[in-house]
C-alpha cells in the first residue's frame, strides 16, 4: 500500500463548520462540537487558516499527529487501502451504530469497503452523531477508551439542560478499578440495570449495619407529600359528610351519598361502600393533579422611565405611535419588512453596544419572534428581549382572545426564557388600542423587570399565575354518544380515548392518523374496539390540509357529537437551531388541524384538544411544540367566549406511552414529573369536560423536586401563587442560593464563593480537602483536564445557581479567576467593573500612597514596570503561565523583594 503522504498538519479551531471554505489543499477533518472544528491538509495552508482565526481572537491548537488525516492528502492511498479492505470479510453489526461519517444511524453499507474508504477521507461528524443520540432518546452514554476525551467533547454537543449522564470507563489519572466502578455506579443510580453479581463474582453478602452504637440514621425521613396532604383534606371532608349522615340516622341522605337503594341489606352494601371509598380516593388524587392559569392584578409603575438605550423592532403599520412617544428619544426604532428572515434580523443596521432592552413588536406571529430571539444570539446581544402581542390571551372573564395564532409567541417566549435566560425579558399582550395610559403601563412593565408574562388592559396590568384547581364534590363526568372523531386516534393517547369512548356509549368512532389503517397497531385497536359493539372507521388524513379535514368531517356524518384532537408532532431541537420550516411543520398538524376542525364542525357536545404543559410553562428544546400548545389553549378560550363548547387539557406525561414515554418518561420522573396512569388521565378528561372547564392543566408534579430544577436559571413568577411553593421554604433552596450569595457583603461573598470553588474542585480532582486547592495555582497544575473541568462546572452550577459554559475552567484558569467570574455573574457586574475584594482595595490604597520618587528611591520602580510588561506579554501570548490578576498582595510584595535583592 502506498505510504501516507507527509508534510501535512491538523489544527483544532474554535469556530463553526459554516465559517470554513475548504480548498484543494485542505479540508474539514472533524466537527467535534457546535463551536469546535478540526481542519487538515497541506501544512502551510492549514497554518495560514489557523493564523487568520487566531487574529480574530479564536482559540487554535495544532494537533500532534503523524499525517493530515481526513484531508485531500489522503487521496493518493485510497485505492490501495480499498484493495486491502476487499480481502477482509465484513459482517452486519449486531447493535445499533451511529455513523460519524454521516452523523446518522448507519445504513447497510457499513459492512462494505467503500464505507471505510470514505471514513478515511471525509470529515468525522462527531457532533452530529451525538446530536442523533440525543434525538433518539439516549440518556446514558459510556465511553470505552483510554481516557475521557470523547466524554468531554460530547458534553459540549448537547443542550445545557439535557438530562444526559456521561461516564468514562477508563480515566488516565485514576486507577482502573475506581474509574470502572464510578462509571457503573453513575449508570446504576440513573436506572440502568447493572449485573453486579457478574462484576464482583463470587462474594459474601452481609447485612446492612444497624448502627447500634453510632446512633446515626442514614435513611431519608418519609414525609407526607403534597398529594397525600390534599387527599387527607378531601378525605376528612368526605368522612365528615358520611359520619354526619350515620350519626343522624339519616338513611335517605346516606343512601344518596352512596348512591344505594335504601332497602338493600348491609351485606350487599359493603362492596358499594368499598367502591365509594376508592372513588373518593381517586377523585382526591385527581384534584391534586389539577391546575389552571389565572391572572392577578399588579400595581402600575407610573414613575418608570427608559434607562440606557432600548431597541424597538416593529413593522411600519404596528400602530404603536403612543408607545414610541412614551419610550422617548432613547429608543432606537428599526422598521421590519413584511417577511423578514434571520439574516436580515442579524444584519439590522445600527450600533448595538450597550443596548439595555430589545422590544419586538411584530404582532404578526411567532415566526418573527423566533427570528428575533435567534438574531440576538447571532449578534451576541444579551439584552433582555420583550415580545409584544395583541389579542393573544384572555386575562380574565369577558376578555376574549382575538388572535390565537399570536398565542404561539407566548409559548415560544417561555422556551426562550429557559434556554437563554440571559437574554429574556418577557412577553406582553397589548390592549386593542394603545393610548397614552396603556403606553405608560407598558413602559412600567418593561422597565420594572419583575414580571415576565403580562397583559395590559384598559383597567390595569395583569400577571399570569398558575394555581391549584380542585373540583367541587359531585362533579359530573362526560359520557360520549353518537359519533366521536379522535385525531391521532391510533396513537397511545388517542387509543386510550377510543377505548374509553367505546366503553362509555359512543356508537361510532372515527380514528384518524397520517397513515390510517396502515399505522402500526391500528387494525388490532379497531378489532379490540369492535368487541364493545361500536362501529370503527380508520381514516388517513393530513390535518394541515383543510380540504382533507372537510372531507373527514363530512364522512363523520350528521351524528358527529364530539371531537377529541389528540394528534401532534413532538420536537427536540434547541431554539438556536430551529428553522422556520421545522417550526411551521410542528405547528401545522397541531394548530392548523385544530383550526380546521373548529371552523368545519358545529352543534357538538364536546370539542376537546390535547394540549401540554410545554405550552403552559415551556419546555427546553421544544420551542415549536410549546408555541403550538399555547395556541390551542387560546383557541379554546376564544371558542368558549363565543358560546361554543371547548376544553383544552394541558397534559403532563402519561405513563406507558405518548410523547413522554420510554427514556424520556424516566427523565421527567427524575425531575419530579411522574406519568399519569391512563385510567387516571381519562377520568380527569371526563371530569374536565363534564364540569365545563375551559383550560386545565393535569399533571402529577412533585414541586419540591421540579421547581428547583426548572427555575435553576432564574425565578419564574408563574409559580409564585401555588400553595406548594410557599408551603416549604426548602423547595426554593437551589434557586435561592444565587440570591443568598448576591446579598452577602463583598468580602463575605468573595470568601464564600472561593470556599465553594476550592471544595468542589477538590472533590472532582480526588484531593484530600479544599486546602489542597491553592487559590492562585492554575487548575491545570492541579491535574484538571477537559473531563474534570466539565464535572466542576456542573457541580458549581448546583451550589452557586450560576450556569457556566463547558470551557469555564479553561477561560478562567485559576480558582481566583473563576471566583471573580462567578461573582460577576452573581452580582450582574462585568469583570472589569466588579466590586473590589478587600485585598484589591488594600493593594490599590498602598500603591496610591506611593509617589514615583518614593518608588524610585525604594528600588521598586523597575519591578512595577516589569510587572506591567509581564501583563502586556500575557495579553499577547495565551501560553503565559503568569497572571498578575491572580496574584495576592503577598505575592506582589515577594516579587518586589526578590527584585530588590
Amino acid at each position: 500500500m502506498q505510504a501516507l503522504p507527509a508534510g501535512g498538519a491538523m489544527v483544532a479551531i474554535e469556530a463553526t463548520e459554516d465559517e470554513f471554505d475548504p480548498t484543494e489543499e485542505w479540508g474539514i477533518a472533524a466537527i467535534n462540537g457546535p463551536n469546535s472544528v478540526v481542519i487538515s491538509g497541506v501544512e502551510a495552508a492549514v497554518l495560514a487558516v489557523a493564523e487568520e482565526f487566531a487574529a480574530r481572537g479564536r482559540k487554535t491548537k495544532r494537533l500532534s499527529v503523524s499525517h493530515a488525516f481526513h484531508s485531500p492528502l489522503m487521496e493518493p492511498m485510497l485505492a490501495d487501502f480499498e484493495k486491502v479492505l476487499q480481502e477482509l470479510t465484513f459482517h452486519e453489526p449486531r447493535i445499533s451504530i451511529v455513523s460519524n461519517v454521516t452523523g446518522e444511524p448507519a445504513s447497510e453499507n457499513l459492512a462494505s469497503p467503500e464505507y471505510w474508504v470514505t471514513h478515511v477521507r471525509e470529515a468525522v461528524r462527531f457532533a452530529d452523531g451525538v446530536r442523533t443520540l440525543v434525538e433518539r432518546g439516549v440518556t446514558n452514554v459510556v465511553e470505552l477508551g483510554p481516557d475521557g476525551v470523547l466524554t468531554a467533547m460530547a458534553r459540549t454537543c448537547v443542550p445545557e439542560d439535557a438530562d444526559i449522564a456521561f461516564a468514562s470507563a477508563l480515566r488516565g489519572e485514576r486507577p482502573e478499578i475506581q474509574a470502572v466502578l464510578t462509571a457503573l455506579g453513575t449508570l446504576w443510580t440513573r436506572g440502568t440495570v447493572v449485573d453486579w453479581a457478574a462484576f464482583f463474582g463470587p462474594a459474601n453478602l452481609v447485612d446492612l449495619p444497624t448502627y447500634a452504637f453510632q446512633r446515626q440514621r442514614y435513611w431519608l425521613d418519609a414525609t407526607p407529600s403534597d398529594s397525600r396532604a390534599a387527599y387527607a383534606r378531601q378525605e376528612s371532608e368526605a368522612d365528615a359528610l358520611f359520619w354526619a349522615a350515620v350519626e343522624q340516622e339519616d338513611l335517605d341522605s346516606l343512601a344518596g351519598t352512596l348512591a344505594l337503594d335504601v332497602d338493600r341489606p348491609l351485606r350487599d352494601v359493603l362492596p358499594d361502600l368499598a367502591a365509594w371509598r376508592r372513588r373518593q380516593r381517586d377523585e382526591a388524587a385527581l384534584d391534586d393533579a389539577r391546575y389552571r392559569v389565572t391572572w392577578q392584578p399588579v400595581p402600575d409603575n407610573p414613575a418608570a422611565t427608559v434607562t440606557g438605550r432600548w431597541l424597538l423592532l416593529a413593522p411600519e403599520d404596528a400602530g404603536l405611535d403612543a408607545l414610541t412617544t412614551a419610550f422617548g428619544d432613547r429608543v432606537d426604532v428599526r422598521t421590519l419588512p413584511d417577511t423578514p428572515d434571520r439574516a436580515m434580523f442579524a444584519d439590522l443596521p445600527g450600533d448595538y453596544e450597550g443596548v439595555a432592552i430589545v422590544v419586538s413588536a411584530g404582532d404578526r406571529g411567532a415566526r418573527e419572534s423566533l427570528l428575533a430571539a435567534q438574531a440576538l444570539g447571532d449578534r451576541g446581544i444579551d439584552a433582555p428581549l420583550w415580545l409584544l402581542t395583541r389579542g393573544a390571551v384572555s386575562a380574565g372573564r369577558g376578555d376574549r382572545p382575538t388572535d390565537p395564532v399570536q398565542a404561539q409567541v407566548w409559548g415560544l417566549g417561555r422556551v426562550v426564557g429557559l434556554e437563554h435566560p440571559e437574554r429574556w425579558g418577557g412577553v406582553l399582550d397589548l390592549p386593542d388600542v394603545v393610548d397614552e395610559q396603556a403606553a405608560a403601563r407598558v413602559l412600567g412593565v418593561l422597565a420594572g423587570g419583575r414580571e415576565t408574562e403580562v397583559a395590559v388592559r384598559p383597567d390595569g396590568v395583569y400577571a399570569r399565575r398558575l394555581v391549584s384547581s380542585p373540583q367541587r364534590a359531585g362533579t359530573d363526568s362526560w359520557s360520549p354518544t353518537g359519533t366521536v372523531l379522535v385525531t391521532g386516534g391510533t396513537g397511545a393517547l388517542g387509543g386510550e380515548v377510543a377505548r374509553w369512548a367505546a366503553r362509555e356509549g359512543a356508537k361510532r368512532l372515527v380514528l384518524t392518523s397520517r397513515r390510517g389503517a396502515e399505522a402500526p397497531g391500528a387494525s388490532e385497536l379497531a378489532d379490540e374496539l369492535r368487541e364493545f359493539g361500536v362501529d370503527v372507521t380508520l381514516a388517513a388524513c393530513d390535518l394541515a390540509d383543510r380540504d382533507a379535514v372537510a372531507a373527514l368531517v363530512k364522512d363523520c356524518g350528521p351524528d358527529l357529537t364530539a371531537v377529541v384532537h389528540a394528534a401532534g408532532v413532538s420536537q427536540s431541537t434547541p431554539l438556536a437551531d430551529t428553522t422556520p420550516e421545522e417550526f411551521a411543520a410542528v405547528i401545522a398538524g397541531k394548530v392548523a388541524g385544530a383550526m380546521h376542525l373548529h371552523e368545519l364542525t358545529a352543534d357538538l357536545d364536546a370539542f376537546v384538544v390535547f394540549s401540554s404543559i410545554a405550552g403552559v410553562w415551556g419546555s427546553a428544546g421544544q420551542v415549536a411544540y410549546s408555541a403550538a400548545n399555547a395556541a390551542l389553549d387560546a383557541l379554546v378560550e376564544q371558542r368558549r367566549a363565543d358560546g361554543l363548547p371547548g376544553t383544552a387539557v394541558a397534559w403532563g406525561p402519561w405513563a406507558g406511552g405518548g410523547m413522554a414515554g420510554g427514556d424520556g418518561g424516566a427523565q421527567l420522573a427524575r425531575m419530579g414529573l411522574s406519568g399519569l396512569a391512563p385510567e387516571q388521565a381519562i377520568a380527569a378528561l371526563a371530569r374536565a369536560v363534564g364540569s365545563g372547564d375551559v383550560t386545565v392543566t393535569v399533571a402529577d408534579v412533585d414541586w419540591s423536586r421540579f421547581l428547583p430544577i426548572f427555575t435553576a436559571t432564574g425565578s419564574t413568577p408563574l409559580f409564585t401563587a401555588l400553595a406548594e411553593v410557599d408551603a416549604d421554604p426548602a423547595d426554593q433552596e437551589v434557586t435561592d442560593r444565587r440570591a443568598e450569595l448576591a446579598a452577602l457583603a463583598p468580602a463575605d461573598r468573595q470568601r464564600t464563593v472561593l470556599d465553594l470553588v476550592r471544595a468542589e474542585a477538590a472533590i472532582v480532582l480526588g484531593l484530600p480537602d479544599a486546602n489542597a486547592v491553592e487559590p492562585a495555582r492554575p487548575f491545570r497544575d492541579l491535574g484538571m483536564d477537559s473531563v474534570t473541568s466539565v464535572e466542576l462546572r456542573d457541580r458549581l452550577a448546583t451550589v452557586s445557581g450560576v450556569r457556566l459554559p463547558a470551557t469555564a475552567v479553561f477561560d478562567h484558569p485559576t480558582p481566583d479567576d473563576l471566583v471573580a467570574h462567578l461573582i460577576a455573574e452573581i452580582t450582574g457586574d462585568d469583570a472589569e467593573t466588579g466590586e473590589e475584594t478587600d485585598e484589591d482595595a488594600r493593594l490599590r490604597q498602598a500603591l496610591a500612597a506611593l509617589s514615583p520618587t518614593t518608588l524610585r528611591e525604594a528600588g521598586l520602580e523597575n519591578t512595577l514596570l516589569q510587572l506591567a510588561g509581564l501583563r502586556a506579554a500575557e495579553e499577547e501570548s495565551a501560553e503565559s503561565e503568569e497572571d498578575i490578576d491572580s496574584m495576592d498582595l503577598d505575592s506582589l510584595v515577594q516579587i518586589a523583594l526578590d527584585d530588590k535583592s
Side-chain angles (χ1 to χ4, degrees), residues 781-867:
D781 292 354
L782 293 168
M784 189 77 71
D785 58 17
S786 57
V787 178
T788 49
S789 69
V790 175
E791 292 178 3
L792 177 58
R793 184 277 304 264
D794 293 343
R795 296 184 70 91
L796 288 176
T798 299
V799 298
S800 70
V802 177
R803 298 184 66 177
L804 298 169
T807 59
V809 173
F810 298 107
D811 294 337
H812 311 284
T814 71
D816 279 340
D817 293 334
L818 188 53
V819 167
H821 177 69
L822 280 168
I823 290 176
E825 291 291 318
I826 291 169
T827 61
D829 295 330
D830 293 334
E832 291 80 10
T833 60
E835 297 168 312
E836 289 185 333
T837 65
D838 289 353
E839 192 168 65
D840 291 335
R842 287 170 53 208
L843 177 59
R844 191 177 300 279
Q845 292 170 1
L847 293 177
L850 299 176
S851 67
T853 302
T854 303
L855 292 172
R856 191 178 302 112
E857 290 175 353
L860 296 177
E861 183 180 43
N862 289 338
T863 298
L864 293 178
L865 291 175
Q866 289 172 10
L867 290 176

Side-chain angles (χ1 to χ4, degrees), residues 197-405:
F199 178 82
F200 287 107
N204 294 323
L205 300 179
V206 297
D207 292 333
L208 289 172
T210 58
Y211 313 112
F213 303 102
Q214 292 138 309
R215 303 289 183 184
Q216 185 174 0
R217 180 179 175 84
Y218 284 80
W219 312 117
L220 296 175
D221 290 325
T223 57
S225 66
D226 293 329
S227 59
R228 291 178 183 174
Y231 167 66
R233 291 192 300 271
Q234 295 283 341
E235 185 180 49
S236 62
E237 294 174 5
D239 286 351
L241 293 174
F242 174 79
W243 290 115
V246 172
E247 290 174 0
Q248 296 170 16
E249 299 184 10
D250 186 347
L251 185 59
D252 291 334
S253 176
L254 183 62
T257 299
L258 300 179
L260 300 176
D261 184 342
V262 295
D263 295 326
R264 293 177 60 188
L266 184 59
R267 185 183 305 277
D268 294 339
V269 169
L270 288 177
D272 294 303
L273 282 173
W276 176 82
R277 180 75 166 180
R278 288 191 298 269
R279 187 167 63 251
Q280 294 295 324
R281 184 181 295 114
D282 291 344
E283 289 179 359
L286 286 179
D287 279 347
D288 194 47
R290 284 173 47 92
Y291 305 89
R292 62 182 175 87
V293 168
T294 187
W295 295 82
Q296 92 177 19
V298 293
D300 286 352
N301 185 10
T305 57
V306 174
T307 58
R309 290 176 54 241
W310 290 17
L311 175 65
L312 174 63
L313 309 175
E316 281 190 72
D317 57 351
L320 299 176
D321 294 341
L323 193 58
T324 53
T325 300
F327 286 173
D329 296 336
R330 303 198 65 177
V331 174
D332 297 333
V333 180
R334 297 288 183 270
T335 301
L336 301 177
D338 290 339
T339 55
D341 58 25
R342 181 169 179 172
M344 187 284 299
F345 262 103
D347 294 337
L348 282 173
D351 176 16
Y352 296 101
E353 287 294 327
V355 171
I357 287 179
V358 179
V359 181
S360 177
D363 283 356
R364 292 185 297 209
R367 180 182 184 275
E368 209 166 87
S369 300
L370 171 68
L371 297 175
Q374 293 173 332
L376 289 182
D378 296 342
R379 290 291 295 264
I381 301 171
D382 286 342
L385 170 66
W386 276 90
L387 302 174
L388 304 188
T389 60
R390 184 182 270 115
V393 297
S394 169
R397 189 179 300 275
D399 187 28
R400 177 183 183 274
T402 58
D403 192 352
V405 172

Side-chain angles (χ1 to χ4, degrees), residues 559-763:
D559 292 333
L560 179 63
T561 62
V563 169
V564 179
H565 182 44
V569 178
S570 188
Q571 178 203 18
S572 181
T573 308
L575 182 140
D577 298 333
T578 301
T579 64
E581 293 75 20
E582 178 185 4
F583 190 88
V586 175
I587 294 289
K590 196 79 173 172
V591 180
M595 291 296 294
H596 296 331
L597 291 167
H598 158 63
E599 295 165 355
L600 294 167
T601 58
D603 299 326
L604 298 175
D605 295 335
F607 184 94
V608 183
V609 297
F610 273 30
S611 179
S612 167
I613 56 174
V616 176
W617 56 64
S619 178
Q622 294 188 308
V623 61
Y625 187 66
S626 297
N629 285 289
L632 288 187
D633 293 342
L635 172 63
V636 167
E637 288 178 339
Q638 186 186 66
R639 282 181 60 93
R640 292 296 291 272
D642 293 341
L644 298 173
T647 304
V649 184
W651 296 110
W654 284 34
M659 296 177 184
D663 292 338
Q667 177 180 338
L668 292 174
R670 287 191 293 273
M671 290 180 61
L673 285 168
S674 299
L676 294 162
E679 60 274 12
Q680 182 186 25
I682 291 297
L685 169 66
R687 294 182 74 202
V689 177
S691 64
D693 281 325
V694 182
T695 58
V696 62
T697 299
V698 181
D700 186 356
V701 188
D702 181 347
W703 295 105
S704 65
R705 294 172 60 192
F706 177 75
L707 280 180
I709 298 173
F710 189 80
T711 61
T713 58
S715 63
T716 304
L718 172 70
F719 300 108
T720 55
L722 286 171
E724 294 88 345
V725 174
D726 297 330
D728 186 358
D731 291 350
Q732 297 297 320
E733 181 177 351
V734 174
T735 55
D736 285 348
R737 186 56 175 155
R738 180 170 179 162
E740 291 173 4
L741 293 172
L744 294 175
D748 292 337
R749 182 166 55 242
Q750 172 78 17
R751 182 169 51 254
T752 301
V753 176
L754 179 59
D755 290 344
L756 289 176
V757 170
R758 295 176 71 189
E760 298 302 325
I763 292 173

Side-chain angles (χ1 to χ4, degrees), residues 373-675:
Q374 293 173 332
L376 289 182
D378 296 342
R379 290 291 295 264
I381 301 171
D382 286 342
L385 170 66
W386 276 90
L387 302 174
L388 304 188
T389 60
R390 184 182 270 115
V393 297
S394 169
R397 189 179 300 275
D399 187 28
R400 177 183 183 274
T402 58
D403 192 352
V405 172
Q406 283 203 48
Q408 297 173 22
V409 175
W410 285 65
L412 176 147
R414 290 160 196 149
V415 178
V416 178
L418 291 173
E419 294 192 38
H420 300 284
E422 72 282 358
R423 53 179 134 103
W424 178 235
V427 60
L428 184 149
D429 198 60
L430 300 168
D432 293 336
V433 177
V434 182
D435 56 17
E436 183 177 344
Q437 183 183 46
R441 285 171 172 158
V442 172
L443 175 59
V445 171
L446 302 187
R450 291 182 295 273
E451 297 291 343
T452 58
E453 295 183 289
V454 179
V456 173
R457 294 294 182 261
D459 61 340
V461 179
Y462 296 87
R464 188 169 177 267
R465 294 290 187 266
L466 187 73
V467 297
S468 296
S469 183
Q471 290 179 313
R472 65 183 185 278
T475 296
D476 293 333
S477 290
W478 169 50
S479 294
T481 60
T483 298
V484 178
L485 170 61
V486 184
T487 69
T490 61
L493 276 57
E496 292 294 344
V497 173
R499 293 182 181 93
W500 166 77
R503 292 193 301 268
E504 290 296 313
K507 302 303 182 185
R508 182 187 178 203
L509 292 173
V510 179
L511 311 181
T512 75
S513 63
R514 285 186 174 273
R515 298 175 60 184
E518 301 301 321
S523 297
E524 293 79 1
L525 174 62
D527 291 342
E528 178 186 348
L529 297 173
R530 291 185 180 109
E531 293 180 1
F532 291 98
V534 64
D535 183 23
V536 180
T537 300
L538 300 175
C541 182
D542 179 2
L543 295 172
D545 184 338
R546 194 177 194 280
D547 291 339
V549 176
L552 174 68
V553 172
K554 182 178 180 180
D555 181 64
C556 289
D559 292 333
L560 179 63
T561 62
V563 169
V564 179
H565 182 44
V569 178
S570 188
Q571 178 203 18
S572 181
T573 308
L575 182 140
D577 298 333
T578 301
T579 64
E581 293 75 20
E582 178 185 4
F583 190 88
V586 175
I587 294 289
K590 196 79 173 172
V591 180
M595 291 296 294
H596 296 331
L597 291 167
H598 158 63
E599 295 165 355
L600 294 167
T601 58
D603 299 326
L604 298 175
D605 295 335
F607 184 94
V608 183
V609 297
F610 273 30
S611 179
S612 167
I613 56 174
V616 176
W617 56 64
S619 178
Q622 294 188 308
V623 61
Y625 187 66
S626 297
N629 285 289
L632 288 187
D633 293 342
L635 172 63
V636 167
E637 288 178 339
Q638 186 186 66
R639 282 181 60 93
R640 292 296 291 272
D642 293 341
L644 298 173
T647 304
V649 184
W651 296 110
W654 284 34
M659 296 177 184
D663 292 338
Q667 177 180 338
L668 292 174
R670 287 191 293 273
M671 290 180 61
L673 285 168
S674 299

